[in-house]
């Protein structure tokens, strides 16, 4: 049995694997939406203080130049000590579709592209220089199946989201490399009727297909407890990834009118909203809030909430055995939190890098 180098008295608090967020656009006032090194550092430090030890900065993939700049930031950040592990980047765009799917923050950022031209997405892929390990597209777009197969062959996790795909199209996508549904229930298709006949959508595909992982934004605002429980009933505790989908104001006390990438938003009631308050513009949560919401508001066991925010995303990213668990041979990314799931200490590779309070 290995001998401990140090014994830490947690004084009745919980010890957990470090949390993993595979979908976040920023935090602490810093943004992952622009290739700015200082902002990346700020956002990473903010999420670290809330227990996130592995993170995928999420950008929008709007141009080859922007993606190339993001790749350069990723290479620099991967060499820094004392920050969350960043295995790569997530591109949530630019291939979204429909008026519904491009509403909210997506509408202000002009994400919508209705055709996936191979010459264009190959250019974007080459600009990424291996930094992008996760990419989202609406599977109903022309060219989406070729995109999925191309990326899967290169080890990228391909996701469906911001989509009006019907059930059959989603299942076809699953057979062409797509393995996850981004923020289930949010900006996506559900049951529709054509000539009187009902058809399932992307929501139903995510719930029913055992081979698809699904994200849930469990910030206490995007989804009510009953939809979280429905997802758990359909998917179990092993195929759900808790994500923040947070904007730059996550982990801050910002309130009222704010600006995000030149777009006006309002922060109130624990969430970011569009100015007309018709829909949300991202969350202001960090990963500890996701665990707290599941464990306190939905009746999900605490161990299961932690699993969905640590072991599941580690498995999804191919990091099982190293991240997301407490085990001999794992990386000793650990957090300590109290009964209210407030993070008190954070460890990276067994070294304390943050103590709160």
């Amino acid at each position: 049995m290995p001998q401990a180098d140090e014994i830490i008295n947690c004084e009745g608090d919980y010890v957990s694997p470090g949390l993993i967020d595979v979908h976040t656009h920023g935090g602490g006032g810093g943004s992952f939406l622009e290739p700015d090194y200082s902002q990346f550092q700020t956002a990473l430090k903010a999420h670290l203080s809330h227990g996130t030890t592995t993170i995928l900065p999420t950008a929008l993939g709007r141009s080859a130049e922007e993606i190339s700049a993001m790749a350069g930031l990723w290479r620099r950040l991967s060499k820094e000590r004392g920050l969350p592990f960043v295995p790569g980047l997530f591109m949530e765009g630019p291939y979204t579709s429909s008026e519904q799917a491009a509403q909210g923050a997506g509408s202000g950022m002009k994400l919508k592209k209705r055709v996936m031209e191979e010459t264009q997405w190959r250019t974007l892929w080459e600009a990424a220089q291996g930094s992008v390990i996760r990419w989202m597209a609406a599977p109903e777009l022309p060219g989406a199946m070729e995109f999925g197969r191309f990326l899967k062959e290169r080890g990228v996790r391909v996701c469906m989201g911001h989509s009006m795909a019907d059930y059959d199209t989603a299942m076809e996508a699953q057979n062409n490399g797509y393995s996850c549904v981004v923020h289930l229930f949010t900006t996506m298709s559900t049951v529709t009727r054509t000539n009187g006949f009902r058809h399932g959508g992307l929501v139903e595909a995510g719930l029913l297909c055992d081979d698809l992982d699904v994200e849930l934004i469990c910030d206490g605002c995007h989804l009510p407890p009953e939809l979280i429980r429905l997802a758990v009933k359909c998917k179990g505790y092993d195929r759900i990834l808790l994500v923040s989908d947070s904007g730059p104001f996550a982990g801050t006390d910002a309130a009222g009118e704010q600006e995000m990438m030149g777009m006006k938003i309002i922060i109130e009631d624990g969430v970011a909203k569009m100015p007309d308050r018709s829909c949300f513009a991202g969350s202001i949560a960090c990963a500890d809030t996701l665990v707290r919401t599941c464990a306190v508001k939905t009746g999900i066991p605490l161990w299961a909430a932690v699993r969905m925010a640590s072991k599941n995303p580690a498995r999804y990213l191919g990091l099982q055995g190293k991240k997301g668990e407490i085990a001999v041979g794992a990386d000793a990314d650990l957090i300590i939190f109290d009964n209210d799931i407030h993070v008190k200490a954070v460890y990276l590779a067994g070294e304390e890098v943050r103590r709160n309070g």
Side-chain angles (χ1 to χ4, degrees), residues 205-223:
L207 291 173
L208 289 172
C209 181
D210 292 339
D211 293 330
L212 285 173
D213 289 292
V214 300
E215 294 181 356
L216 294 181
I217 308 174
C218 294
D219 62 342
C221 299
H222 277 75
L223 300 176

Side-chain angles (χ1 to χ4, degrees), residues 170-194:
M171 289 297 92
E172 181 185 1
Q174 191 270 324
N175 290 325
N176 281 275
Y178 291 75
S179 60
C180 184
V181 176
V182 170
H183 47 51
L184 187 70
F185 302 113
T186 301
T187 58
M188 67 180 58
S189 54
T190 184
V191 177
T192 57
R193 294 182 71 167
T194 304

Side-chain angles (χ1 to χ4, degrees), residues 1-7 327-329:
M1 177 70 76
Q3 296 298 309
D5 294 323
E6 181 182 2
I7 296 176
V328 175

